[in-house]
């Protein structure tokens, strides 16, 4: 499986690019969708928002008043930091859960967020994009989630960000300016990117770049798999087996990682079985080690 981070400035076109990726079979884990699910009525996050910012940010029907809260946090760095510290830990945990679901392919992996959203279903897609608008702002590129994987930045000009945001969200120029300024400058994101999709042109031009990107990932994934198979075929049979101590070590470390995320040992084992925990661990330590065949 090949994973990559997808980011860009506000209104640069991440959602547009993600929709093309999905059409080409890429599974997208969307953190905006997860963050929205976290603020559904009944979720502990909504209650913390009410206690932190006040009841005026909750509508009469009990849902989050997104426009009102957006008006506060995009203009106020301290409030933004508070909101991020309430929501982001839930988002991070749910991204990991969905990624484990992708690795294991199991529908019944324990789910903190129950949802009918198709994005929350497991996938057998070999390529997974994690769409994180605040990827660089939160240092996710250096976190265990993404440090082994490339980051793709969707870029556009700042003036286009403002005009697209005003049109899409029905905002004034000042409101759009404040939202764009609340994030790292798009030029800085482009400078840090591993790969850039330039969405300053026509949608058709962007589609062509995205198609090239999918082909690039497919080619590098299959080349790596073929190299790996060839190298293994050249090894004596005994060396192809993974030592039992290494298997135990990987299994133990993966299990403690999952337990730190809040899953109980029994839940993890019931959900995917010991063999799968080992396989996930093996993939995470570099994909060099394969599950032993019975
Ligand atoms: C402030 C909220 C209620 C405004 O809701 P609204 O429907 O207007 O915007 P939406 O959620 O669709 O986000 C649109 C875009 O705004 C930008 N954005 C959202 N939150 C933030 C933030 N805390 N800081 C900077 N930019 C942000 C992102 O580029 C995002 O793609 C909402 O964005 C929110 O809950 N944000 C905090 C959670 C968060 O950080 N989400 C980003 C992904 S984890
Ligand atoms: N190449 C393009 N030409 C013209 N309009 C575009 C182009 N790409 C995207 N748009 C429009 O710009 C707006 C922003 O795009 P999109 O919603 O994909 O951005 P985003 O990066 O996901 O935004 P956000 O950070 O707010 O989630 C949308 O209304 C979209 O239809």
């Amino acid at each position: 499986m090949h994973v990559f981070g997808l980011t860009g400035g506000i209104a640069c076109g991440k959602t547009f690019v993600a929709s093309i990726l999905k059409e080409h079979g890429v599974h997208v884990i969307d953190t905006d969708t997860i963050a929205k699910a976290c603020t559904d009525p009944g979720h502990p996050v909504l209650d913390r928002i009410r206690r932190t910012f006040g009841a005026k940010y909750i509508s009469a029907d009990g849902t989050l008043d997104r426009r009102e809260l957006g008006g506060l946090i995009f203009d106020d760095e301290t409030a933004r930091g508070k909101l991020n510290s309430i929501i982001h830990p839930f988002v991070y945990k749910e991204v990991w859960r969905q990624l484990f679901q992708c690795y294991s392919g199991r529908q019944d992996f324990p789910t903190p967020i129950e949802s009918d959203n198709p994005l929350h279903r497991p996938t057998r897609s070999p390529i997974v994009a994690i769409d994180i608008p605040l990827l660089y702002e939160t240092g996710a590129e250096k976190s265990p989630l993404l440090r082994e994987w490339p980051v793709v930045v969707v870029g556009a000009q700042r003036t286009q960000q403002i005009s697209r945001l005003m049109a899409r969200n029905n905002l004034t120029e000042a409101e759009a300016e404040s939202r764009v300024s609340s994030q790292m400058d798009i030029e800085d994101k482009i400078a840090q990117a591993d790969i850039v999709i330039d969405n300053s042109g026509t949608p058709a031009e962007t589609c062509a770049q995205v198609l090239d990107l999918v082909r690039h990932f497919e080619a590098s994934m299959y080349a790596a798999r073929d190299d790996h198979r060839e190298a293994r075929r050249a090894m004596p049979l005994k060396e192809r087996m993974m030592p039992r101590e290494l298997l135990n070590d990987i299994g133990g470390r993966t299990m403690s990682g999952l337990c730190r995320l809040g899953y109980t040992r029994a839940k993890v084992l019931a959900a995917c079985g010991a063999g799968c925990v080992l396989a996930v661990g093996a993939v995470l330590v570099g994909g060099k080690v394969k599950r032993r065949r019975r």
Side-chain angles (χ1 to χ4, degrees), residues 9-16 32 133 164-165 168 199 201-203 206:
I10 188 164
C12 276
K14 295 175 299 297
T15 308
F16 174 51
D32 269 343
R164 288 176 187 175
L165 196 49
R168 189 193 62 187
N199 188 35
T202 64
T206 301

Side-chain angles (χ1 to χ4, degrees), residues 96-136:
W96 267 113
R97 192 194 65 77
Q98 290 191 23
L99 200 55
F100 279 123
Q101 248 186 1
C102 296
Y103 279 122
S104 69
R106 292 286 300 261
Q107 304 234 1
D108 52 354
F109 203 84
T111 170
I113 293 179
E114 296 297 342
S115 168
D116 292 332
N117 190 317
L119 295 179
H120 294 167
R121 289 194 202 124
T123 175
R124 277 296 185 195
S125 168
I127 308 178
V128 176
I130 311 181
D131 180 347
I132 313 180
L134 304 177
L135 190 149
Y136 288 120

Side-chain angles (χ1 to χ4, degrees), residues 8-11 14-15 30-36 39 49 64-74 79-81 83-84 87-88 91-92 131-135 137-138 165 168-169 171 179-184 189:
I10 188 164
K14 295 175 299 297
T15 308
D30 178 353
T31 57
D32 269 343
T33 305
I34 297 172
K36 281 187 181 123
T39 57
I49 290 175
L64 179 67
D65 187 336
R66 309 185 66 82
R67 190 166 186 128
E68 191 74 21
L69 188 60
L72 170 75
I73 70 111
F74 289 114
R80 193 160 64 241
L83 181 66
N84 290 350
I87 297 187
H88 288 180
V91 174
Y92 190 69
D131 180 347
I132 313 180
L134 304 177
L135 190 149
E137 286 87 343
T138 56
L165 196 49
R168 189 193 62 187
N169 289 29
L171 297 178
R179 290 187 178 217
V180 172
S181 303
S182 74
Q183 298 188 346
M184 183 190 284
K189 292 187 180 182

